[in-house]
Amino acid sequence: MSAKILAGKEIAEKIKQDVKKDLEILREKGITAKLVAVQVGKNPSSAVYLNAQKKSCQAIGINHEVKILDNNISEADLIQFIQHLNKDKETTGIILQLPLPQGVDVRKVQSSISVEKDVEGVNPANLGWIVYGRPFLAPCTALAVKELIDSTGIDLYGKEVVMVGHSDIVGKPVSLLLVDKFATVTICHIGTSEKGMLEAHVKMAEILVVAVGKAHLIKGDIIKEGATVIDVGINKLGDKIVGDVEFEIAKERAGWITPVPGGVGPVTTAILLRNTVNAVKNLNKLA
Ligand code: NAD
């Protein structure tokens, strides 16, 4: 059996069209969206990412500005800068680009982003809304994973889900989003691997989500026949970009599988745009 490919680009395109329509309606009411990305220090790989972000915002009608702050900025001054953006009427969404310089408490700075403008869903209050089963501005990648699974039409009720990776922006929120649909969710991580138990869990997964960042960590021949495989990982292997799952072998066993690149990535970008427009609606009491 050869898996159906979960084409992230097509799903992303549909989300973008919906966002575009919403922005047109807002514009008729005189409301505009502006996303501000805050970066501390110069970082070439961030610059590439932020340029791509700017392009996708501008293509859809969202204003985008990058603020590059001095690498020596203190934590207090960085928080003050974010608080200024929180109050700025024109700014409707705030992104804090990581990494931050050593000695700056990332969590403290993320917590200072206004809950209403936190379009990446990193403020603890927005993460907390997921626990309540009412996700609003949730982390974009976690929402993208859910969107991809939903696009297959699979009913999550009672499904064996294995989430490999337990980061705050992917593994943990994905697990909560899926358990709320009554999936049976097992979260695996480095501890699972080091105890030699990863393979046993993966073999049971009807839905497998992997967000680790290790090229081909999951061997294709252990994928359950017919499983849905969502590969979040992005890794450089030689001159190629590959995921955490051995795609070529896994696709012969899976029912659905995301490619890397072209799977989770484009949907994540589209969700950022959707979160941005949702933030604008909420700020204007239209949500
Ligand atoms: P992270 O680095 O914060 O966490 C990694 C997780 O993997 C941890 O839970 C860790 O315990 C686990 N882990 C590490 N080694 C392991 C092993 N051998 N076996 C099992 N688990 C192991 O990760 P993150 O920020 O969630 O990112 C994970 C990957 O997803 C990275 O490749 C990142 O680039 C990618 N990513 C992609 C997108 C996208 O839009 N496509 C978005 C975010 C992250």
Side-chain angles (χ1 to χ4, degrees), residues 85 107 133 174 224:
L85 291 175
R107 295 288 180 258
V174 164
K224 191 180 176 74

Side-chain angles (χ1 to χ4, degrees), residues 40-62:
V40 181
K42 290 212 164 88
N43 179 335
S45 54
S46 284
V48 173
Y49 172 74
L50 290 176
N51 258 334
Q53 192 180 82
K54 190 183 216 79
K55 266 194 191 160
S56 47
C57 280
Q58 286 173 342
I60 213 165
I62 294 172

Side-chain angles (χ1 to χ4, degrees), residues 141 164-167 170 189-190 193 198 211-214 217 232-235 264-265 268:
T141 309
V164 189
H166 79 307
S167 68
V170 190
H189 39 64
I190 186 69
S193 263
L198 185 62
V212 171
K214 287 193 176 144
L217 171 75
V232 183
I234 303 173
N235 312 288
V264 178
T268 298

Side-chain angles (χ1 to χ4, degrees), residues 143-161:
L143 291 177
V145 169
K146 176 74 172 30
E147 197 81 30
L148 281 154
I149 296 172
D150 288 347
S151 77
T152 65
I154 288 169
D155 182 7
L156 282 160
Y157 198 94
K159 283 281 181 314
E160 286 293 333
V161 174

Side-chain angles (χ1 to χ4, degrees), residues 73-249:
I73 194 167
S74 68
E75 186 180 290
D77 285 350
L78 178 55
I79 290 175
Q80 202 179 23
F81 186 81
I82 287 179
Q83 283 166 345
H84 152 78
L85 291 175
N86 288 343
K87 288 194 206 110
D88 177 40
K89 290 250 175 338
E90 219 186 301
T91 304
T92 58
I94 301 169
I95 283 180
L96 178 67
Q97 191 60 29
L98 299 184
L100 296 181
Q102 262 198 340
V104 175
D105 182 340
V106 177
R107 295 288 180 258
K108 222 167 143 184
V109 183
Q110 287 176 324
S111 312
S112 73
I113 301 172
S114 140
V115 178
E116 287 80 16
K117 297 187 181 183
D118 172 34
V119 291
E120 286 195 310
V122 294
N123 181 299
N126 280 322
L127 291 166
W129 282 109
I130 309 176
V131 178
Y132 283 175
R134 287 167 57 186
F136 178 53
L137 296 177
C140 305
T141 309
L143 291 177
V145 169
K146 176 74 172 30
E147 197 81 30
L148 281 154
I149 296 172
D150 288 347
S151 77
T152 65
I154 288 169
D155 182 7
L156 282 160
Y157 198 94
K159 283 281 181 314
E160 286 293 333
V161 174
V162 173
M163 174 72 238
V164 189
H166 79 307
S167 68
D168 294 346
I169 57 155
V170 190
K172 288 181 199 166
V174 164
S175 305
L176 289 167
L177 290 171
L178 302 185
V179 87
D180 260 342
K181 298 295 165 195
F182 298 96
T184 306
V185 182
T186 304
I187 306 175
C188 300
H189 39 64
I190 186 69
T192 322
S193 263
E194 287 184 351
K195 241 191 140 197
M197 292 303 292
L198 185 62
E199 195 173 314
H201 287 292
V202 169
K203 279 182 170 168
M204 286 182 29
E206 295 177 281
I207 296 175
L208 175 69
V209 185
V210 190
V212 171
K214 287 193 176 144
H216 296 171
L217 171 75
I218 307 293
K219 298 300 163 213
D221 59 359
I222 64 167
I223 301 295
K224 191 180 176 74
E225 286 282 349
T228 298
V229 179
I230 311 288
D231 190 351
V232 183
I234 303 173
N235 312 288
K236 247 188 136 180
L237 193 65
D239 56 359
K240 280 175 77 182
I241 299 291
V242 301
D244 291 343
V245 178
E246 219 177 18
F247 180 82
E248 289 304 326
I249 301 168

